[in-house]
Structure formats: structure tokens, C-alpha cells
Amino acid sequence: MTAAWAGLAREAGRAALPSTADLLLNPALTAARILAETPEAIPTLPSFRIPEFADLEPLARAVGADPQAHLAAVQGLATHRADISDAFAAAGIFAAAAAAELANIVGSLIAAVPGAFAAAAPLGPGAQIAAVAALTGKALADAAGTLNNLEEELNRVAQRLAASTAAALAVPLPGGSASGQLATEALAGLARTAQPYAAAAGIQLPPAPVPATVPAAVHRAPAAPVAPPPQVAPAPAAGSSAGAAAVAAAKSQLGTPYVWGGSQPGGFDCSGLTSWAYRQAGVELPRTAASQAVGRQVSYAELQPGDLVLWEGHAAMYAGDGMMIEAGDPVQLNPVRTSNLGMAFLGFWRPTG
């Protein structure tokens, strides 16, 4: 009898979606409808191993550099990869459990219908129909509850993964900088010095590293790289009193976390920091990065403390000594650059009160 019901369920599954009345009065249709809602299996991610970075620390020591930003970035990527893998695994477990539960509901329905139909026979056809309808109604309710629970569990997994992704995106990736360029050149010099001794010992060394300029670490936004910054230092300049005051205000916020739309101590975005700092110096700036291209545009060689470094979607402030202050995550000092992950560079601007 059970095999017959299963066959009917498979046949019914090929038909158009039944009405509620059809489902209540036809257990085979009910079974087919429930089985049609079985969630697909969620695959696990393929195995992946983060490359080894054991040589980074001794290389950094050889050139007097600090490898911690790079090591922290590697660890952050590994942690986020593990979070993604865990999310897929959890989602797969919940989907498989829901599929098994739906199969159990269908199995219980098919097994219970013949007995209920026979038990209600003495009371007449109406009682038999009512008994079957009660079983199919319960099966439908149980299936709906199972699917609702699955949706809630998957939503929780998605929320955890979204939070993990947001945290990973907020971590600045280490990039090219003046100190990084010098470190690469120092490594290349060491490699050239070691080459004759290695050749005499029959050791084949890999090619010396080639210096390369890449975008520095900032709060990230998806885009393509643009031209590297000029390699000349700006001429010394005393700077205006307003610019100096703005730099002092901005530096007082070093370490403040990045907050989208933030424009007060406790949380800044890029243009929120520059506008707040200039407000402390008595100068009002427009709120967004692109609109802060006001006052007088200056060249790189003319930079003085307080001048703004502007892109269409990012703003920073020249702080002197070839450095600029910007709201990454957190507010930080970085070497001046003209590239910011593909954003159109608007130039250097000196606000006027």
C-alpha cells in the first residue's frame, strides 16, 4: 500500500499545482506538493590553504621594516575564509535536516492514511473524508513549519556571514608606500650582494625583487588601480594658520574608527574627518569629498599642511613631511599618493576661509 501511495505521489508531482481543497482530499497530491519543496543540497567550499608567509618576518628584519600589518592582513583573510566555509557548512546541515524532515512528514502521511480511512469506514464516507483531510492538513502545516524554520536558520547564517564580511572589508590591506619601496630596494640590494657567494656555492637564487608601486591601504571600495604618485617631495612651506589648526584637529583623532557618514569624534568617514577638522579651525567645507575641491588648486610641490588630497570618492589632508592623514579604519597617517583604488583624482586643493 505504501509503495502505491508513493507512486501516486510521483505521478501527481508532474501535474499542475493543486488547490487547497485538492490537497486536503488527496494525500498523494499533498505528498507530491511537500516533496516539491525539498531544498536543494548546499555544497561545501573546496579545500583551500593560505600560502605560507613564514619568510616575511626575517625579510622584514633584514631591511628594518615592520611585517605586522601584512601578517595581520593574512590572518584576517584566513579568518574570513574560515567564516565563509563555516557558513556554507551550517547552511548545508540545515538544508539537509529540512529535507529529511519533509521526507519524514510525507512518509508518516502515506503510512497513516490507510488506517485512518479504514477506521472511519463505519461512520460513512463523510467521516472518511474528514479523517483524510485532518491528516493532510497536519502534514501541510508541519511542512510549512519546517520550511519556516529553515528560512530563519539560513537568515541567521546570512547575517553572521554579512557581519564577518563587513569586518573583513573594514580592515585596510597593506599596500605600497615610500617605506615599502625602500624596503623592496634594500632587499634587491641584498640579493645582488649575495648572488656571487651563492653562485660560488652552487646555489641558485631566485630573481631579485622588483620595486613596484601599488595603492596604499585605505577604507576599501571596489575599483581599478590608477597612476602611481609623484616621486618628488613637496617644497617646505610654513602653511596657513587655519591649515595647521585643521591638521592638529585631525591628528587628535588618530585611531578613531571608520564610520560611514560619520563626522564627529567617535567615528569618521573620509570627508567627515576633513570637514570636521577644518570646522575646528573656523573654516566650513562642503560635506562630500568631490565637493571639497574648493579654494585654490595647488601642485604637489606646493603642498603645505592642511591642503586637501581629493578624489571623487575619497578625501585626505596633507599633514607635512610627505604624509597625509585620512579616515581609513581607523584614522591614520599614510604617505601622500594620487591613486585610490581607481577613483578619479581631483588634485590637491587649499581651502580658503
Side-chain angles (χ1 to χ4, degrees):
M1 186 67 177
T2 301
W5 277 111
L8 285 173
R10 287 193 296 272
E11 290 299 323
R14 301 190 182 101
L17 289 179
S19 66
T20 302
D22 290 336
L23 291 175
L24 291 175
L25 299 177
N26 191 328
L29 288 175
T30 300
R33 187 70 183 91
I34 292 173
L35 291 176
E37 297 298 326
T38 301
E40 295 183 5
I42 297 177
T44 57
L45 292 182
S47 61
F48 178 80
R49 187 174 66 85
I50 297 291
E52 185 61 57
F53 285 85
D55 292 335
L56 188 57
E57 287 196 75
L59 286 173
R61 286 197 297 271
V63 296
D66 183 3
Q68 290 309 308
H70 292 76
L71 294 175
V74 171
Q75 182 57 48
L77 290 173
T79 299
H80 189 224
R81 177 58 168 71
D83 289 343
I84 295 172
S85 182
D86 290 347
F88 269 76
I93 292 172
F94 292 135
E101 182 60 27
L102 292 177
N104 287 336
I105 292 171
V106 168
S108 298
L109 171 64
I110 291 174
V113 165
F117 194 80
L123 301 177
Q128 289 177 306
I129 292 173
V132 170
L135 289 174
T136 55
K138 181 178 184 305
L140 289 169
D142 290 345
T146 296
L147 293 173
N148 286 337
N149 289 339
L150 174 61
E151 183 179 10
E152 292 175 0
E153 294 290 357
L154 292 180
N155 281 339
R156 280 192 280 270
V157 170
Q159 289 167 4
R160 289 196 296 270
L161 183 56
S164 173
T165 301
L169 289 173
V171 176
L173 289 181
S177 65
S179 59
Q181 188 84 356
L182 291 174
T184 303
E185 291 170 356
L187 284 175
L190 290 172
R192 287 190 293 271
T193 301
Q195 193 73 44
Y197 300 97
I203 300 173
Q204 181 64 43
L205 292 179
V210 178
T213 302
V214 294
V218 294
H219 189 74
R220 291 177 289 175
V226 296
Q231 298 301 312
V232 295
S240 68
S241 58
V247 170
K251 284 185 174 180
S252 74
Q253 298 302 308
L254 285 170
T256 299
Y258 182 95
V259 173
W260 179 260
S263 59
Q264 296 293 331
F268 287 102
D269 64 13
C270 60
S271 56
L273 174 67
T274 51
S275 61
W276 176 86
Y278 258 102
R279 187 174 301 115
Q280 310 316 301
V283 178
E284 286 294 329
L285 293 181
R287 176 60 180 83
T288 62
S291 63
Q292 288 182 359
V294 295
R296 182 170 73 88
Q297 189 167 13
V298 298
S299 68
Y300 185 79
E302 294 176 297
L303 280 177
Q304 64 183 36
D307 290 347
L308 298 181
V309 187
L310 299 175
W311 294 262
E312 282 188 347
H314 188 60
M317 181 186 298
Y318 183 64
D321 299 322
M323 303 294 287
M324 66 183 190
I325 186 168
E326 59 187 326
D329 196 0
V331 174
Q332 58 195 264
L333 283 164
N334 287 310
V336 173
R337 63 183 186 278
T338 59
S339 60
N340 193 66
L341 301 176
M343 297 179 187
F345 182 59
L346 302 181
F348 306 105
W349 290 82
R350 182 168 301 159
T352 55

